[in-house]
Amino acid sequence: TTLLLIVAGTLGYYFLETGKSLQGLPGSDKWMIAFFGSVSARTAGFNVVDISIWSYPTIFLMIFLMWVGASPGSTGGGIKTTTFAIALRAAYDFVRGRHEVEIGNREIGNETISRVLVVIILSLATIFFGFFGLLIFDADKNPVHLLFECFSAFGTVGLSIVNTSTLSEVGKEIIICLMFIGRLGPLTLLTGLFIPHKKQYFKYP
């Protein structure tokens, strides 16, 4: 999954920005910047070009990469590559009419698939409420750039098109909350806050 995301991100960045932010650079530099941008969007959040001149398609590509994020066990954020891979495989198997999800001659349990679904829903819900708040308190900013800011904060990436320091005080607090929830993980945070449900010893028909 990591390899596919790096390759797809590099190709997408190169072809979307070759006539824009990469214009006038040698071919080797374009590929290096595209590769660096693809990897950085899921991990460190460094940039070597002015990202404020990115085209909208590139911004949405980077939003997707930031949302998926790094692999488990790393210091990167996002929903993680394994979550994304299992979700894709589960959707693929469901469309094909299969009731079991299998990867590499191993079956993925229903509890794991449910956990993947919860992580995806909670991540999108958290980002949605943060974005909604920024639209209210920073209405003078470009909505696409605010959306980018929310995904960057949730994925703890560090990239900023809006320039976070120019946000309102409430906007900055929203970004702080997104970074905190994104770092801990919404599932971990909510599991710690809510009292576990008592075990139910019966099933409804």
Side-chain angles (χ1 to χ4, degrees), residues 16-119:
L16 291 172
E17 290 298 311
T18 190
K20 298 179 176 66
S21 63
L22 301 179
Q23 190 173 16
L25 296 174
S28 58
D29 288 357
K30 288 182 180 181
W31 283 112
M32 183 58 68
I33 292 172
F35 171 76
F36 183 83
S38 175
V39 174
S40 182
R42 297 191 306 108
T43 52
F46 295 116
N47 58 292
V48 292
V49 295
D50 183 7
I51 66 174
S52 65
I53 59 176
W54 275 351
S55 62
Y56 285 143
T58 305
I59 290 175
F60 277 98
L61 173 64
M62 292 300 147
I63 282 175
F64 169 73
L65 293 176
M66 291 190 297
W67 178 64
V68 175
S71 296
S74 71
T75 57
I79 63 170
K80 305 301 182 185
T81 52
T82 48
T83 301
F84 178 67
I86 293 174
L88 278 185
R89 188 54 186 260
Y92 175 71
D93 286 345
F94 182 82
V95 170
R96 294 176 61 200
R98 299 183 62 179
H99 299 289
E100 296 83 18
V101 178
E102 298 174 357
I103 300 178
N105 296 325
R106 294 289 186 273
E107 183 178 334
I108 306 298
N110 290 329
E111 184 178 348
T112 301
I113 297 173
S114 298
R115 188 180 181 89
V116 164
L117 179 63
V118 171
V119 167

Side-chain angles (χ1 to χ4, degrees), residues 171-185:
K172 292 175 183 176
E173 291 172 2
I174 290 173
I175 293 298
I176 290 171
C177 289
L178 286 175
M179 291 175 67
F180 183 73
I181 296 172
R183 179 61 278 172
L184 285 182

